[in-house]
Every structure is written in structure tokens, then in C-alpha cells.
Amino acid sequence: MAWIFLFIAGICEIGAVASLKLAEGFKKLVPSICFVVIGLSSFYFLSLALKEIPMGTAYAVWTGIGSAGSVALGMIFFQESKDRIRIFLLSLIIIGVIGLKISQ
């Protein structure tokens, strides 16, 4: 169950970053509120995951999911660069997250 909580925390991290982008420096109310709610949810699920998963592993996976997901989200919805080196480096993050899960 801890890995499911960690995955949810990572997904919430992606949502928090997207909300922060849409909030435009906290000038827009709804995305700003979404950032706070989703961000707190991310920390809540991370805290649940930390009950069973070692701190270093959980933090690396959480930030890996958040980082890789945010980059992918930026490429898909915010027209950010999709060059090959960026996609290659993104795949390294994903491989690292999978490796940490397998080695656990």
C-alpha cells in the first residue's frame, strides 16, 4: 500500500506544479487554491508512504515522479521543448524510479 501512496503523492506533485504554472505567480485564485490543496495532498500521501518505505528511496521516487511527470506535462500541454536529449534524460529519471522500486 505504501507504494500506491507514494505513486499518488507523485501524481499530486505533478498536479501541484501544473497548478503553480497556471496560477501565474498566485495572480489567479482558482489555480492558486488548487496548488495549495494538491500540494498538501502530495505531502500527506508522501507521509503515509514514509511509514514503510525508507526516506531516501521515497523522496527520490517522489521527486522523480514529480520531475518526470512535470516535464512530460510541459511537453504535452505547455508546448515546451521536445528535443531528443530532453526525452532521453527524462527516460533516465523514469528508469531510476523503476530501478528504486525493483531494488526495494
Side-chain angles (χ1 to χ4, degrees):
M1 196 67 182
W3 283 96
I4 293 171
F5 289 144
L6 187 56
F7 181 74
I8 294 169
I11 297 299
C12 288
E13 188 70 8
I14 297 167
V17 171
S19 297
L20 192 59
K21 169 77 174 169
L22 296 172
E24 296 180 5
F26 296 105
K27 291 179 184 170
K28 294 186 175 181
L29 181 62
V30 173
S32 298
I33 292 171
C34 288
F35 166 72
V36 171
V37 171
I38 296 170
L40 288 174
S41 298
S42 179
F43 279 105
Y44 173 71
F45 284 110
L46 177 63
S47 73
L48 294 178
L50 285 171
K51 290 180 180 177
E52 294 181 29
I53 300 172
M55 180 181 70
T57 300
Y59 185 73
V61 170
W62 177 64
T63 57
I65 292 171
S67 300
S70 297
V71 170
L73 198 70
M75 289 179 180
I76 295 168
F77 294 108
F78 297 105
Q79 289 75 43
E80 293 179 1
S81 171
K82 298 175 186 165
D83 61 28
R84 289 182 183 185
I85 189 72
R86 200 159 187 231
I87 293 171
F88 172 72
L89 295 171
L90 179 64
S91 67
L92 292 178
I93 293 172
I94 294 168
I95 290 169
V97 168
I98 292 170
L100 285 170
K101 168 63 177 125
I102 291 171
S103 69
Q104 187 63 40

